mmCIF file of all heavy atoms in Angstrom:
data_model
loop_
_atom_site.group_PDB
_atom_site.id
_atom_site.type_symbol
_atom_site.label_atom_id
_atom_site.label_comp_id
_atom_site.label_asym_id
_atom_site.label_seq_id
_atom_site.Cartn_x
_atom_site.Cartn_y
_atom_site.Cartn_z
ATOM 1 N N GLN A 175 -11.885 5.851 8.946
ATOM 2 C CA GLN A 175 -12.623 4.729 8.358
ATOM 3 C C GLN A 175 -11.636 3.621 8.060
ATOM 4 O O GLN A 175 -10.734 3.776 7.222
ATOM 5 C CB GLN A 175 -13.352 5.158 7.090
ATOM 6 C CG GLN A 175 -14.268 4.078 6.532
ATOM 7 C CD GLN A 175 -15.232 4.624 5.502
ATOM 8 O OE1 GLN A 175 -15.073 5.720 4.975
ATOM 9 N NE2 GLN A 175 -16.279 3.866 5.238
ATOM 10 N N ALA A 176 -11.814 2.529 8.757
ATOM 11 C CA ALA A 176 -10.983 1.355 8.536
ATOM 12 C C ALA A 176 -11.606 0.504 7.432
ATOM 13 O O ALA A 176 -12.816 0.607 7.170
ATOM 14 C CB ALA A 176 -10.859 0.557 9.827
ATOM 15 N N PRO A 177 -10.819 -0.339 6.799
ATOM 16 C CA PRO A 177 -11.354 -1.180 5.728
ATOM 17 C C PRO A 177 -12.540 -2.003 6.208
ATOM 18 O O PRO A 177 -12.477 -2.674 7.239
ATOM 19 C CB PRO A 177 -10.170 -2.076 5.361
ATOM 20 C CG PRO A 177 -8.972 -1.292 5.745
ATOM 21 C CD PRO A 177 -9.370 -0.522 6.966
ATOM 22 N N GLY A 178 -13.624 -1.932 5.459
ATOM 23 C CA GLY A 178 -14.810 -2.712 5.782
ATOM 24 C C GLY A 178 -15.640 -2.189 6.940
ATOM 25 O O GLY A 178 -16.592 -2.846 7.364
ATOM 26 N N LYS A 179 -15.287 -1.012 7.447
ATOM 27 C CA LYS A 179 -16.017 -0.455 8.579
ATOM 28 C C LYS A 179 -16.579 0.915 8.243
ATOM 29 O O LYS A 179 -16.163 1.556 7.274
ATOM 30 C CB LYS A 179 -15.110 -0.361 9.805
ATOM 31 C CG LYS A 179 -14.642 -1.706 10.327
ATOM 32 C CD LYS A 179 -13.901 -1.559 11.636
ATOM 33 C CE LYS A 179 -13.500 -2.899 12.216
ATOM 34 N NZ LYS A 179 -12.805 -2.757 13.519
ATOM 35 N N GLN A 180 -17.514 1.366 9.066
ATOM 36 C CA GLN A 180 -18.086 2.687 8.867
ATOM 37 C C GLN A 180 -17.142 3.763 9.404
ATOM 38 O O GLN A 180 -16.306 3.508 10.279
ATOM 39 C CB GLN A 180 -19.436 2.774 9.580
ATOM 40 C CG GLN A 180 -20.528 1.945 8.948
ATOM 41 C CD GLN A 180 -21.884 2.196 9.585
ATOM 42 O OE1 GLN A 180 -21.976 2.572 10.747
ATOM 43 N NE2 GLN A 180 -22.947 1.996 8.812
ATOM 44 N N ARG A 181 -17.311 4.956 8.884
ATOM 45 C CA ARG A 181 -16.534 6.080 9.376
ATOM 46 C C ARG A 181 -16.956 6.380 10.823
ATOM 47 O O ARG A 181 -18.137 6.386 11.143
ATOM 48 C CB ARG A 181 -16.752 7.300 8.490
ATOM 49 C CG ARG A 181 -15.797 8.448 8.751
ATOM 50 C CD ARG A 181 -15.970 9.566 7.758
ATOM 51 N NE ARG A 181 -15.659 9.113 6.398
ATOM 52 C CZ ARG A 181 -15.601 9.945 5.343
ATOM 53 N NH1 ARG A 181 -15.818 11.242 5.516
ATOM 54 N NH2 ARG A 181 -15.320 9.463 4.147
ATOM 55 N N GLU A 182 -15.968 6.643 11.665
ATOM 56 C CA GLU A 182 -16.252 6.908 13.067
ATOM 57 C C GLU A 182 -15.515 8.157 13.549
ATOM 58 O O GLU A 182 -14.459 8.508 13.020
ATOM 59 C CB GLU A 182 -15.836 5.710 13.931
ATOM 60 C CG GLU A 182 -14.348 5.407 13.896
ATOM 61 C CD GLU A 182 -13.944 4.303 14.857
ATOM 62 O OE1 GLU A 182 -14.803 3.771 15.579
ATOM 63 O OE2 GLU A 182 -12.731 3.972 14.879
ATOM 64 N N SER A 183 -16.077 8.782 14.554
ATOM 65 C CA SER A 183 -15.443 9.946 15.142
ATOM 66 C C SER A 183 -14.238 9.512 15.970
ATOM 67 O O SER A 183 -14.297 8.513 16.686
ATOM 68 C CB SER A 183 -16.437 10.705 16.013
ATOM 69 O OG SER A 183 -15.798 11.781 16.657
ATOM 70 N N VAL A 184 -13.168 10.267 15.865
ATOM 71 C CA VAL A 184 -11.963 10.008 16.656
ATOM 72 C C VAL A 184 -11.819 11.067 17.747
ATOM 73 O O VAL A 184 -11.721 10.745 18.925
ATOM 74 C CB VAL A 184 -10.716 10.000 15.758
ATOM 75 C CG1 VAL A 184 -9.446 9.846 16.596
ATOM 76 C CG2 VAL A 184 -10.804 8.889 14.720
ATOM 77 N N ALA A 185 -11.794 12.317 17.330
ATOM 78 C CA ALA A 185 -11.632 13.417 18.280
ATOM 79 C C ALA A 185 -12.143 14.693 17.648
ATOM 80 O O ALA A 185 -11.943 14.911 16.451
ATOM 81 C CB ALA A 185 -10.167 13.573 18.678
ATOM 82 N N THR A 186 -12.810 15.516 18.454
ATOM 83 C CA THR A 186 -13.292 16.802 17.977
ATOM 84 C C THR A 186 -12.934 17.879 18.988
ATOM 85 O O THR A 186 -12.735 17.601 20.181
ATOM 86 C CB THR A 186 -14.813 16.799 17.762
ATOM 87 O OG1 THR A 186 -15.462 16.497 18.999
ATOM 88 C CG2 THR A 186 -15.225 15.776 16.712
ATOM 89 N N VAL A 187 -12.859 19.098 18.496
ATOM 90 C CA VAL A 187 -12.560 20.222 19.375
ATOM 91 C C VAL A 187 -13.370 21.417 18.901
ATOM 92 O O VAL A 187 -13.418 21.705 17.700
ATOM 93 C CB VAL A 187 -11.043 20.516 19.401
ATOM 94 C CG1 VAL A 187 -10.471 20.740 18.014
ATOM 95 C CG2 VAL A 187 -10.731 21.679 20.321
ATOM 96 N N ASP A 188 -14.006 22.094 19.842
ATOM 97 C CA ASP A 188 -14.871 23.209 19.451
ATOM 98 C C ASP A 188 -14.107 24.529 19.508
ATOM 99 O O ASP A 188 -12.893 24.552 19.761
ATOM 100 C CB ASP A 188 -16.134 23.237 20.311
ATOM 101 C CG ASP A 188 -15.863 23.509 21.778
ATOM 102 O OD1 ASP A 188 -14.775 24.026 22.114
ATOM 103 O OD2 ASP A 188 -16.747 23.217 22.606
ATOM 104 N N SER A 189 -14.803 25.616 19.291
ATOM 105 C CA SER A 189 -14.160 26.925 19.225
ATOM 106 C C SER A 189 -13.685 27.408 20.592
ATOM 107 O O SER A 189 -12.954 28.403 20.676
ATOM 108 C CB SER A 189 -15.114 27.948 18.596
ATOM 109 O OG SER A 189 -16.345 27.960 19.272
ATOM 110 N N TYR A 190 -14.098 26.717 21.652
ATOM 111 C CA TYR A 190 -13.622 27.026 23.002
ATOM 112 C C TYR A 190 -12.499 26.084 23.425
ATOM 113 O O TYR A 190 -12.113 26.063 24.593
ATOM 114 C CB TYR A 190 -14.774 26.945 24.005
ATOM 115 C CG TYR A 190 -15.876 27.933 23.706
ATOM 116 C CD1 TYR A 190 -17.032 27.530 23.034
ATOM 117 C CD2 TYR A 190 -15.765 29.262 24.083
ATOM 118 C CE1 TYR A 190 -18.042 28.427 22.756
ATOM 119 C CE2 TYR A 190 -16.773 30.170 23.813
ATOM 120 C CZ TYR A 190 -17.904 29.749 23.146
ATOM 121 O OH TYR A 190 -18.909 30.637 22.855
ATOM 122 N N ASN A 191 -12.034 25.283 22.468
ATOM 123 C CA ASN A 191 -10.974 24.306 22.704
ATOM 124 C C ASN A 191 -11.379 23.185 23.643
ATOM 125 O O ASN A 191 -10.519 22.583 24.293
ATOM 126 C CB ASN A 191 -9.683 24.964 23.202
ATOM 127 C CG ASN A 191 -8.793 25.383 22.048
ATOM 128 O OD1 ASN A 191 -8.574 24.608 21.119
ATOM 129 N ND2 ASN A 191 -8.300 26.593 22.089
ATOM 130 N N ALA A 192 -12.658 22.921 23.708
ATOM 131 C CA ALA A 192 -13.139 21.760 24.461
ATOM 132 C C ALA A 192 -13.061 20.544 23.553
ATOM 133 O O ALA A 192 -13.633 20.543 22.462
ATOM 134 C CB ALA A 192 -14.564 21.986 24.929
ATOM 135 N N ALA A 193 -12.349 19.527 23.990
ATOM 136 C CA ALA A 193 -12.102 18.350 23.163
ATOM 137 C C ALA A 193 -12.930 17.161 23.633
ATOM 138 O O ALA A 193 -13.231 17.015 24.820
ATOM 139 C CB ALA A 193 -10.624 17.993 23.203
ATOM 140 N N ARG A 194 -13.274 16.321 22.672
ATOM 141 C CA ARG A 194 -13.966 15.064 22.963
ATOM 142 C C ARG A 194 -13.272 13.964 22.183
ATOM 143 O O ARG A 194 -12.823 14.174 21.064
ATOM 144 C CB ARG A 194 -15.443 15.145 22.569
ATOM 145 C CG ARG A 194 -16.199 16.242 23.285
ATOM 146 C CD ARG A 194 -17.658 16.225 22.928
ATOM 147 N NE ARG A 194 -18.347 15.058 23.479
ATOM 148 C CZ ARG A 194 -19.659 14.866 23.381
ATOM 149 N NH1 ARG A 194 -20.402 15.738 22.735
ATOM 150 N NH2 ARG A 194 -20.209 13.794 23.913
ATOM 151 N N TYR A 195 -13.212 12.792 22.805
ATOM 152 C CA TYR A 195 -12.506 11.665 22.210
ATOM 153 C C TYR A 195 -13.375 10.422 22.204
ATOM 154 O O TYR A 195 -14.203 10.231 23.092
ATOM 155 C CB TYR A 195 -11.229 11.349 22.998
ATOM 156 C CG TYR A 195 -10.228 12.468 23.038
ATOM 157 C CD1 TYR A 195 -10.256 13.418 24.056
ATOM 158 C CD2 TYR A 195 -9.248 12.580 22.061
ATOM 159 C CE1 TYR A 195 -9.340 14.450 24.093
ATOM 160 C CE2 TYR A 195 -8.316 13.607 22.094
ATOM 161 C CZ TYR A 195 -8.376 14.536 23.109
ATOM 162 O OH TYR A 195 -7.446 15.560 23.143
ATOM 163 N N SER A 196 -13.136 9.579 21.239
ATOM 164 C CA SER A 196 -13.790 8.277 21.267
ATOM 165 C C SER A 196 -13.115 7.426 22.340
ATOM 166 O O SER A 196 -11.949 7.645 22.697
ATOM 167 C CB SER A 196 -13.680 7.589 19.913
ATOM 168 O OG SER A 196 -12.338 7.220 19.655
ATOM 169 N N ASP A 197 -13.838 6.460 22.847
ATOM 170 C CA ASP A 197 -13.291 5.584 23.882
ATOM 171 C C ASP A 197 -12.039 4.853 23.395
ATOM 172 O O ASP A 197 -11.125 4.580 24.173
ATOM 173 C CB ASP A 197 -14.348 4.564 24.319
ATOM 174 C CG ASP A 197 -15.479 5.202 25.097
ATOM 175 O OD1 ASP A 197 -15.305 6.354 25.559
ATOM 176 O OD2 ASP A 197 -16.541 4.567 25.235
ATOM 177 N N SER A 198 -12.011 4.546 22.121
ATOM 178 C CA SER A 198 -10.916 3.736 21.587
ATOM 179 C C SER A 198 -9.581 4.483 21.555
ATOM 180 O O SER A 198 -8.527 3.841 21.492
ATOM 181 C CB SER A 198 -11.264 3.246 20.183
ATOM 182 O OG SER A 198 -11.471 4.345 19.305
ATOM 183 N N VAL A 199 -9.613 5.816 21.591
ATOM 184 C CA VAL A 199 -8.361 6.586 21.527
ATOM 185 C C VAL A 199 -8.104 7.387 22.795
ATOM 186 O O VAL A 199 -7.057 8.029 22.918
ATOM 187 C CB VAL A 199 -8.331 7.522 20.296
ATOM 188 C CG1 VAL A 199 -8.606 6.742 19.024
ATOM 189 C CG2 VAL A 199 -9.310 8.678 20.452
ATOM 190 N N TRP A 200 -9.055 7.337 23.718
ATOM 191 C CA TRP A 200 -8.921 8.117 24.967
ATOM 192 C C TRP A 200 -7.611 7.775 25.665
ATOM 193 O O TRP A 200 -7.291 6.627 25.878
ATOM 194 C CB TRP A 200 -10.106 7.828 25.872
ATOM 195 C CG TRP A 200 -10.035 8.552 27.184
ATOM 196 C CD1 TRP A 200 -9.517 8.090 28.353
ATOM 197 C CD2 TRP A 200 -10.477 9.878 27.431
ATOM 198 N NE1 TRP A 200 -9.612 9.045 29.322
ATOM 199 C CE2 TRP A 200 -10.205 10.166 28.787
ATOM 200 C CE3 TRP A 200 -11.087 10.862 26.644
ATOM 201 C CZ2 TRP A 200 -10.525 11.386 29.362
ATOM 202 C CZ3 TRP A 200 -11.403 12.076 27.232
ATOM 203 C CH2 TRP A 200 -11.124 12.324 28.563
ATOM 204 N N GLY A 201 -6.876 8.811 26.029
ATOM 205 C CA GLY A 201 -5.618 8.616 26.736
ATOM 206 C C GLY A 201 -4.421 8.392 25.822
ATOM 207 O O GLY A 201 -3.279 8.379 26.284
ATOM 208 N N ARG A 202 -4.683 8.184 24.537
ATOM 209 C CA ARG A 202 -3.574 7.945 23.591
ATOM 210 C C ARG A 202 -3.435 9.063 22.563
ATOM 211 O O ARG A 202 -2.330 9.378 22.129
ATOM 212 C CB ARG A 202 -3.788 6.620 22.856
ATOM 213 C CG ARG A 202 -3.841 5.398 23.771
ATOM 214 C CD ARG A 202 -3.859 4.101 22.964
ATOM 215 N NE ARG A 202 -5.035 3.985 22.122
ATOM 216 C CZ ARG A 202 -4.990 3.844 20.794
ATOM 217 N NH1 ARG A 202 -3.823 3.814 20.163
ATOM 218 N NH2 ARG A 202 -6.114 3.732 20.102
ATOM 219 N N PHE A 203 -4.556 9.632 22.164
ATOM 220 C CA PHE A 203 -4.550 10.687 21.154
ATOM 221 C C PHE A 203 -4.833 12.026 21.815
ATOM 222 O O PHE A 203 -5.578 12.116 22.798
ATOM 223 C CB PHE A 203 -5.626 10.429 20.102
ATOM 224 C CG PHE A 203 -5.344 9.277 19.170
ATOM 225 C CD1 PHE A 203 -4.355 8.338 19.440
ATOM 226 C CD2 PHE A 203 -6.100 9.117 18.014
ATOM 227 C CE1 PHE A 203 -4.110 7.282 18.584
ATOM 228 C CE2 PHE A 203 -5.872 8.066 17.148
ATOM 229 C CZ PHE A 203 -4.877 7.147 17.434
ATOM 230 N N ILE A 204 -4.240 13.066 21.250
ATOM 231 C CA ILE A 204 -4.480 14.419 21.730
ATOM 232 C C ILE A 204 -4.817 15.307 20.544
ATOM 233 O O ILE A 204 -4.041 15.393 19.588
ATOM 234 C CB ILE A 204 -3.243 14.986 22.455
ATOM 235 C CG1 ILE A 204 -2.878 14.112 23.656
ATOM 236 C CG2 ILE A 204 -3.508 16.422 22.899
ATOM 237 C CD1 ILE A 204 -1.555 14.494 24.295
ATOM 238 N N VAL A 205 -5.975 15.946 20.618
ATOM 239 C CA VAL A 205 -6.383 16.866 19.555
ATOM 240 C C VAL A 205 -6.190 18.293 20.055
ATOM 241 O O VAL A 205 -6.463 18.603 21.208
ATOM 242 C CB VAL A 205 -7.850 16.619 19.132
ATOM 243 C CG1 VAL A 205 -8.836 16.926 20.252
ATOM 244 C CG2 VAL A 205 -8.189 17.409 17.877
ATOM 245 N N SER A 206 -5.695 19.133 19.182
ATOM 246 C CA SER A 206 -5.510 20.538 19.533
ATOM 247 C C SER A 206 -5.915 21.399 18.356
ATOM 248 O O SER A 206 -5.908 20.959 17.203
ATOM 249 C CB SER A 206 -4.058 20.801 19.928
ATOM 250 O OG SER A 206 -3.174 20.491 18.875
ATOM 251 N N ARG A 207 -6.248 22.629 18.687
ATOM 252 C CA ARG A 207 -6.739 23.535 17.646
ATOM 253 C C ARG A 207 -6.199 24.933 17.879
ATOM 254 O O ARG A 207 -6.159 25.430 19.007
ATOM 255 C CB ARG A 207 -8.264 23.557 17.649
ATOM 256 C CG ARG A 207 -8.884 24.489 16.613
ATOM 257 C CD ARG A 207 -10.388 24.381 16.656
ATOM 258 N NE ARG A 207 -11.016 25.373 15.808
ATOM 259 C CZ ARG A 207 -12.332 25.532 15.710
ATOM 260 N NH1 ARG A 207 -13.145 24.742 16.402
ATOM 261 N NH2 ARG A 207 -12.840 26.451 14.925
ATOM 262 N N ASN A 208 -5.770 25.544 16.809
ATOM 263 C CA ASN A 208 -5.330 26.931 16.829
ATOM 264 C C ASN A 208 -6.018 27.619 15.668
ATOM 265 O O ASN A 208 -5.609 27.479 14.517
ATOM 266 C CB ASN A 208 -3.816 27.017 16.707
ATOM 267 C CG ASN A 208 -3.305 28.443 16.804
ATOM 268 O OD1 ASN A 208 -4.090 29.383 16.939
ATOM 269 N ND2 ASN A 208 -2.002 28.609 16.739
ATOM 270 N N LYS A 209 -7.086 28.315 15.973
ATOM 271 C CA LYS A 209 -7.912 28.989 14.961
ATOM 272 C C LYS A 209 -8.406 27.948 13.944
ATOM 273 O O LYS A 209 -9.229 27.117 14.273
ATOM 274 C CB LYS A 209 -7.135 30.119 14.309
ATOM 275 C CG LYS A 209 -6.764 31.236 15.276
ATOM 276 C CD LYS A 209 -6.055 32.365 14.578
ATOM 277 C CE LYS A 209 -5.708 33.466 15.580
ATOM 278 N NZ LYS A 209 -4.971 34.595 14.943
ATOM 279 N N ASN A 210 -7.886 27.995 12.745
ATOM 280 C CA ASN A 210 -8.389 27.110 11.705
ATOM 281 C C ASN A 210 -7.455 25.938 11.420
ATOM 282 O O ASN A 210 -7.537 25.328 10.337
ATOM 283 C CB ASN A 210 -8.629 27.904 10.420
ATOM 284 C CG ASN A 210 -9.691 28.958 10.605
ATOM 285 O OD1 ASN A 210 -10.635 28.760 11.356
ATOM 286 N ND2 ASN A 210 -9.523 30.078 9.939
ATOM 287 N N ILE A 211 -6.603 25.624 12.380
ATOM 288 C CA ILE A 211 -5.714 24.487 12.235
ATOM 289 C C ILE A 211 -6.018 23.501 13.361
ATOM 290 O O ILE A 211 -6.028 23.872 14.531
ATOM 291 C CB ILE A 211 -4.237 24.910 12.315
ATOM 292 C CG1 ILE A 211 -3.913 25.932 11.226
ATOM 293 C CG2 ILE A 211 -3.328 23.685 12.189
ATOM 294 C CD1 ILE A 211 -2.532 26.524 11.344
ATOM 295 N N VAL A 212 -6.258 22.267 12.973
ATOM 296 C CA VAL A 212 -6.494 21.228 13.978
ATOM 297 C C VAL A 212 -5.463 20.127 13.786
ATOM 298 O O VAL A 212 -5.173 19.704 12.667
ATOM 299 C CB VAL A 212 -7.933 20.671 13.891
ATOM 300 C CG1 VAL A 212 -8.221 20.024 12.543
ATOM 301 C CG2 VAL A 212 -8.208 19.702 15.025
ATOM 302 N N THR A 213 -4.878 19.720 14.897
ATOM 303 C CA THR A 213 -3.799 18.739 14.870
ATOM 304 C C THR A 213 -4.159 17.557 15.761
ATOM 305 O O THR A 213 -4.756 17.735 16.819
ATOM 306 C CB THR A 213 -2.483 19.374 15.348
ATOM 307 O OG1 THR A 213 -2.164 20.490 14.505
ATOM 308 C CG2 THR A 213 -1.339 18.376 15.286
ATOM 309 N N LEU A 214 -3.795 16.377 15.317
ATOM 310 C CA LEU A 214 -4.028 15.170 16.104
ATOM 311 C C LEU A 214 -2.692 14.506 16.368
ATOM 312 O O LEU A 214 -2.000 14.097 15.442
ATOM 313 C CB LEU A 214 -4.953 14.211 15.359
ATOM 314 C CG LEU A 214 -5.396 12.982 16.138
ATOM 315 C CD1 LEU A 214 -6.335 13.372 17.284
ATOM 316 C CD2 LEU A 214 -6.093 11.979 15.209
ATOM 317 N N ARG A 215 -2.345 14.414 17.621
ATOM 318 C CA ARG A 215 -1.136 13.722 18.030
ATOM 319 C C ARG A 215 -1.547 12.320 18.469
ATOM 320 O O ARG A 215 -2.400 12.160 19.341
ATOM 321 C CB ARG A 215 -0.463 14.446 19.181
ATOM 322 C CG ARG A 215 0.758 13.729 19.745
ATOM 323 C CD ARG A 215 1.916 13.693 18.778
ATOM 324 N NE ARG A 215 3.115 13.088 19.375
ATOM 325 C CZ ARG A 215 4.234 12.861 18.699
ATOM 326 N NH1 ARG A 215 4.311 13.180 17.411
ATOM 327 N NH2 ARG A 215 5.271 12.337 19.308
ATOM 328 N N MET A 216 -0.961 11.315 17.856
ATOM 329 C CA MET A 216 -1.344 9.927 18.107
ATOM 330 C C MET A 216 -0.191 9.200 18.782
ATOM 331 O O MET A 216 0.902 9.125 18.218
ATOM 332 C CB MET A 216 -1.705 9.244 16.783
ATOM 333 C CG MET A 216 -2.798 9.966 16.002
ATOM 334 S SD MET A 216 -3.126 9.237 14.393
ATOM 335 C CE MET A 216 -1.621 9.678 13.514
ATOM 336 N N ASN A 217 -0.438 8.679 19.957
ATOM 337 C CA ASN A 217 0.575 7.958 20.719
ATOM 338 C C ASN A 217 0.134 6.513 20.931
ATOM 339 O O ASN A 217 -1.050 6.189 20.839
ATOM 340 C CB ASN A 217 0.806 8.629 22.067
ATOM 341 C CG ASN A 217 1.289 10.057 21.929
ATOM 342 O OD1 ASN A 217 2.239 10.344 21.196
ATOM 343 N ND2 ASN A 217 0.642 10.967 22.636
ATOM 344 N N SER A 218 1.096 5.674 21.248
ATOM 345 C CA SER A 218 0.817 4.263 21.545
ATOM 346 C C SER A 218 -0.072 3.645 20.473
ATOM 347 O O SER A 218 -1.083 3.000 20.785
ATOM 348 C CB SER A 218 0.163 4.138 22.924
ATOM 349 O OG SER A 218 0.972 4.696 23.924
ATOM 350 N N LEU A 219 0.302 3.854 19.239
ATOM 351 C CA LEU A 219 -0.532 3.394 18.133
ATOM 352 C C LEU A 219 -0.626 1.869 18.096
ATOM 353 O O LEU A 219 0.339 1.153 18.396
ATOM 354 C CB LEU A 219 0.013 3.931 16.815
ATOM 355 C CG LEU A 219 -0.351 5.400 16.552
ATOM 356 C CD1 LEU A 219 0.567 6.016 15.518
ATOM 357 C CD2 LEU A 219 -1.805 5.497 16.104
ATOM 358 N N LYS A 220 -1.808 1.417 17.711
ATOM 359 C CA LYS A 220 -2.112 -0.002 17.630
ATOM 360 C C LYS A 220 -2.477 -0.354 16.190
ATOM 361 O O LYS A 220 -2.941 0.507 15.442
ATOM 362 C CB LYS A 220 -3.293 -0.335 18.536
ATOM 363 C CG LYS A 220 -3.138 0.082 19.976
ATOM 364 C CD LYS A 220 -4.419 -0.195 20.760
ATOM 365 C CE LYS A 220 -4.299 0.271 22.203
ATOM 366 N NZ LYS A 220 -5.548 0.014 22.966
ATOM 367 N N PRO A 221 -2.326 -1.611 15.808
ATOM 368 C CA PRO A 221 -2.735 -2.003 14.454
ATOM 369 C C PRO A 221 -4.195 -1.643 14.154
ATOM 370 O O PRO A 221 -4.516 -1.311 13.004
ATOM 371 C CB PRO A 221 -2.525 -3.513 14.463
ATOM 372 C CG PRO A 221 -1.414 -3.715 15.435
ATOM 373 C CD PRO A 221 -1.652 -2.697 16.507
#
């Protein structure tokens, strides 16, 4: 959630490790999951 904006989905991953990304982060962010730990790697960050 950015200032003055609504909360939006960035990336999700299901129990089969299938990931989905928003268009705005596609190709830059990587979501991974190991059981009950989910990690988001963010590359080429923009303001």
